[in-house]
Amino acid sequence: MTATEQTPFANEPVLELRRASVRAGLQEALATVEARLPVEVPVRIGADRRAGDAVISTDPGAPERVVARAAAATSDEVQAAVAEASRGLARWRAVAAVDRARALRAAAAWLRERRLELTALEVRECAKPWLEADADVCEAIDFLEYYARGAIELSRGRELVQVSGERNDMSYAPRGVVAVISPWNFPLAIPCGMTSAALAVGNAVVLKPAEQSPALAGALVTALRAGGIPDAAISLLPGEGEVGAALVAHPGVHAIAFTGSLPVGREIVRSAAVVAEGQHHFKSVVAELGGKNCVIVAADADLDEAVPAIVGSAFAYAGQKCSAASRVLVAEPIADQLLERLAGAVEVLVVDQAQTLGTDVPPVIEAAARERVLRYGELAAREGTVVASAPPPDEPGWFCPALVVADLPENSSVLSDEIFGPVLAVQRVRDVEHACDVVDGLAFALTGGLFARDPETVRRVRDRTPVGNLYVNRGITGAMVGRQPFGGNRLSGTGLKAGGPDYLLQFVAQRAVSENTMRHGLVV
Amino acid sequence: MTTARPAPDAVDPEAVESELQRVGRELAAAFPSSSRQPLRAFDARAMELATGDQELRAALFRFVDVVPACRSLDDLAHHLTGFLGEVGETPPPLAAAMRISHTRAGRAALGAAAAGGVRHLAHRFIVGESPQSALPTFRRLWNGGVASSVDLLGEATVTQSEADRYAARCNDAIAVLSRATAGWPTRPRLEADGSGPVPRANVCAKVSALTPLLAPEAPRRGQDDAARRMRPLLRAAHEAGAHLHIDMESLDSREAVLDLVLELLSEDEFAAGPSSGLVLQAYLRDSPDQTERIVAWARQRSAAAPPLTVRLVKGAYWDHELVQARQHGWEVPVFEDKADCDRNFEALSRRLLDAGSSLRVAIGSHNLRSVAHAIAYNRVSGGEDVDLELQVLRGLGDDLAHALAARGFRVRAYCPVGDLVAGMAYLVRRLLENTSNESFLSAQAQGASVQELLAAP
Ligand SMILES: Cc1cc2nc3c(=O)[nH]c(=O)nc-3n(C[C@H](O)[C@H](O)[C@H](O)COP(=O)(O)OP(=O)(O)OC[C@H]3O[C@@H](n4cnc5c(N)ncnc54)[C@H](O)[C@@H]3O)c2cc1C
């Protein structure tokens, strides 16, 4: 496809699961995937592959089921991967933007052809319920399609002021070797987004995926290479945290794209600031970190809409999204009504296996996560009142009850820590202004919600809120590429918004060239 | 009886068309003058302004929507001016309203006027707070030759106790109506057709209100939960001799609703009744397939049961279906051309009427052409008028209902009952639907000629 044939970007349509014929395909895909488990995920540096089993990913809903056996990259392999990436960079940056875009779009096509199987793999490896898993696969495809188009746009450069006798232009060059460190909660979309943005503008990438989801990262690398990205330009280093740390510290890395928790993000920013002997660049860090996301419910809100939207935002995928709602700030006049309806709506949530259609709350990712969530649940019960809970099934799997808590003291850590689980705290506020003060007092500023019908209230909150993504009269998760560019402020992130028109700028170095066009007193 | 119908292809379309034109003109002639047209009567100015100006339409509807959530007249006035403030060019009367809202007394006056306006509007559509309080209206309609059906408005059901409360209200409606209607005078037209008696008491229920568990991707979950509340309602209706009708909602819940109704009615306990029905939406592209499924089901059902009533409508969630499909990148499930929708409505009318006595056909429309078509086809294909029921929405189809009743048709008015808070979503939907450019009622209100109104789609 040539640049002129480029169709405008459109989001990949999610499965229409309300149709029985569409649902019918899911179990078959699951069976196909299960027959192939466990998946082998080798260290992949250039054309080399080294298999291993130092990292094992298991099904959070059935911990005895091994989903993937991955090798853990050694420090020598980190060195080798960066060296290979430097070679890959030389080749890949020389490829024209349209041709790079073509490769990314071919990778999107590869994913598209295997959508159901990838979705099923997410159901198993991360306990993502079908709806959520499907959305993740679609988002991965969207990132490839969106950044491919954006990079072509960027390659045209920018208009500068031109006066006679000189020719000025500004263009965008890749930064170099980009280390991508990705989380498990959007196991395909997030690594794909960071990686494809870096690749689209000509960088080489070394990907270190979360140890909980190596199988999906492996599939991503396969897709990119199948699409035509040179082996040397995309390497895969499965492993635990120290692999990521070694990558970040490596002087041959130019930029780091990270999505994950605040403590790790802080450590990355610190480590990346060090300029090693002989390192001739500052590393840039693109970090998407946590959130403590509040939904404000004004006195004139429509509770028929607010309640289901809040429940979905707080409990879908067991609250394991950085965008998930974890606090509700409700105006006093409707607080009782909201609490009663919210409690009733949470009591009917189905906590069950991810592969069961109709599951609202799947198990959390791993044993340690379950312990953490249960600990916060106990703390919340001690410091406040549990107003509703949906019980977990009596099955192996890292299940946690879904909880709604009220009456917490202002200094409760339940109100400030990112719990990353199915726990929602509700707090009464005098009015919207008071709610804005509460939001303003938080260290995080990722997403936020507002339910209100008065246009003036909407304007006021828009103006005051520090959050990166404010959602008005709707759920606060599910940002779509190109429609809701995503990313936070304050300690929620450093970067420009993912899936937005400016994201690629973080992966380029700007170059301005001014050429004198006067020769012997004449303009030539 | 309608069993002796000719084969469908033996029915002459030209004969149907000319009968349709005759019936349509006759009915149109019975309408009151255009100054009493339903959309004009209550708030002529506001409706006229709203139909003409999209921004203003949005502002007024957003206001109507928020009225129940407002806590004082001041708050009401504040919201009203807030919405109007977003309209580019405010017409003079509204600009004046915004000026007086600068003082507290002005806001109180404006709030009171606006609240009164909305209440007045709501009462056109919503007949009472409870079935009990709506009884005088039902009785008046009956005396005038119009049967009724009660629809219980409520907030969305998000909890089990809300579902229980809704089921209790349905149960209460069945009891109240069957008791009260027993004493009504005889109206043979309204009480029997070729298949037998038609219950006087008629109650509609929504599956989404009977369970908080409906999920598009897991229809079974909501279906099973609703079933445990619907069985007692079917039992109650059977014992009281009432009709229970299950409304159809958006496509997200269609599978659950249709399976629920057909499965419950197939249970042994309900083999002999009660009289019951469901809804078919002609705006859905796949509605012909659904029709075949329903017709086949009705055919094999035991003859001991009263025939299933199928209410054919175009569908009330057109914008929702369109927007949802576009946002998700799905094929749009509804027709996007109004004429396609209208032609399909006519085709399905014929299909249902051709199905014979295993079904009762009810046409739910205010479109004179759609209604006249069903009447004409039924006649030309050898059916009796009594074997066709015509249904309208209270507040929108009142004139049509009276015209039909005067000509001896069996007409039923669908009457929402509930408080203002619960009613607002319903009201907003009706207003949006009927101020849209594609609406028959708004074409009629704008003075389209009978010829235009009756033209083939
Ligand atoms: C007694 C009764 C019961 C009802 N019960 C139900 C129910 O259970 N479920 C339900 O969904 N609805 C129900 N309805 C509502 C009904 O669907 C709407 O009132 C009806 O669609 C209005 O249609 P009409 O024939 O009166 O008017 P018309 O003006 O002829 O038709 C308007 C309708 O056409 C359709 N339409 C509008 N624009 C387009 C377009 N561009 N392309 C294609 N189609 C378009 C829409 O469905 C719109 O509502 C009921 C109506 C009545 C009278």
Side-chain angles (χ1 to χ4, degrees), chain B residues 371-457:
Chain B
V371 173
H373 168 268
I375 293 173
Y377 183 81
N378 185 43
R379 284 179 175 171
V380 172
S381 65
E384 300 287 336
D385 284 352
V386 73
D387 291 325
L388 176 65
E389 181 165 298
L390 303 161
Q391 299 189 347
V392 301
L393 298 178
R394 149 87 184 185
L396 285 175
D398 301 345
D399 293 338
L400 177 60
H402 289 126
L404 287 163
R407 256 141 208 84
F409 291 99
R410 188 165 79 257
V411 195
R412 188 177 306 281
Y414 179 100
C415 300
V417 161
D419 66 21
L420 192 62
V421 180
M424 219 37 80
Y426 175 84
L427 184 57
V428 169
R429 272 206 306 277
R430 294 288 80 77
L431 292 177
L432 282 176
E433 182 175 280
N434 288 290
T435 50
S436 99
N437 292 332
E438 296 283 15
S439 152
F440 175 88
L441 285 180
S442 84
Q444 195 184 20
Q446 284 161 21
S449 69
V450 174
Q451 192 178 352
E452 288 168 295
L453 295 176
L454 287 176

Side-chain angles (χ1 to χ4, degrees), chain B residues 206 245-250 279 281 283 311-318 334-342 345 363-367 370 391-393 396 412-414 430 433-434 436 438-442:
Chain B
K206 286 195 169 56
H245 212 96
I246 306 304
D247 286 347
M248 190 58 86
E249 303 171 66
S250 71
V279 178
Q281 294 161 319
Y283 65 8
R311 177 201 301 150
L312 179 64
V313 301
K314 280 162 201 162
Y317 305 83
W318 188 82
V334 290
F335 290 107
E336 287 175 83
D337 182 347
K338 174 71 161 59
D340 287 336
C341 174
D342 288 354
F345 189 91
I363 298 293
S365 171
H366 307 124
N367 183 319
S370 305
Q391 299 189 347
V392 301
L393 298 178
L396 285 175
R412 188 177 306 281
Y414 179 100
R430 294 288 80 77
E433 182 175 280
N434 288 290
S436 99
E438 296 283 15
S439 152
F440 175 88
L441 285 180
S442 84

Side-chain angles (χ1 to χ4, degrees), chain A residues 13-20 23 299-300 304 333-334 341 344-345 348 350 357-358 360 453-456 459 483, chain B residues 65-66 69 71 78-79 82-83 86 155-156 158-160 162 216-219 221 252 255 324 327-330:
Chain A
V14 294
L15 291 174
E16 196 176 355
L17 291 177
R18 62 183 174 184
R19 299 207 183 261
R23 292 195 299 274
D300 68 347
D304 280 1
I334 50 161
R341 300 189 75 191
V348 302
V350 178
L357 278 169
D360 298 303
R453 285 183 276 193
D454 178 4
E456 202 180 303
R459 255 192 311 273
R483 280 155 67 180
Chain B
D65 176 60
V66 81
R71 268 143 232 287
H78 175 82
H79 275 89
F83 295 133
E86 308 219 310
E155 286 175 288
V158 299
T159 70
Q160 291 291 8
E162 286 166 347
E217 76 282 10
R221 193 176 97 176
D252 275 349
E255 184 178 329
Q324 186 189 31
Q327 287 191 350
H328 289 102
W330 295 337

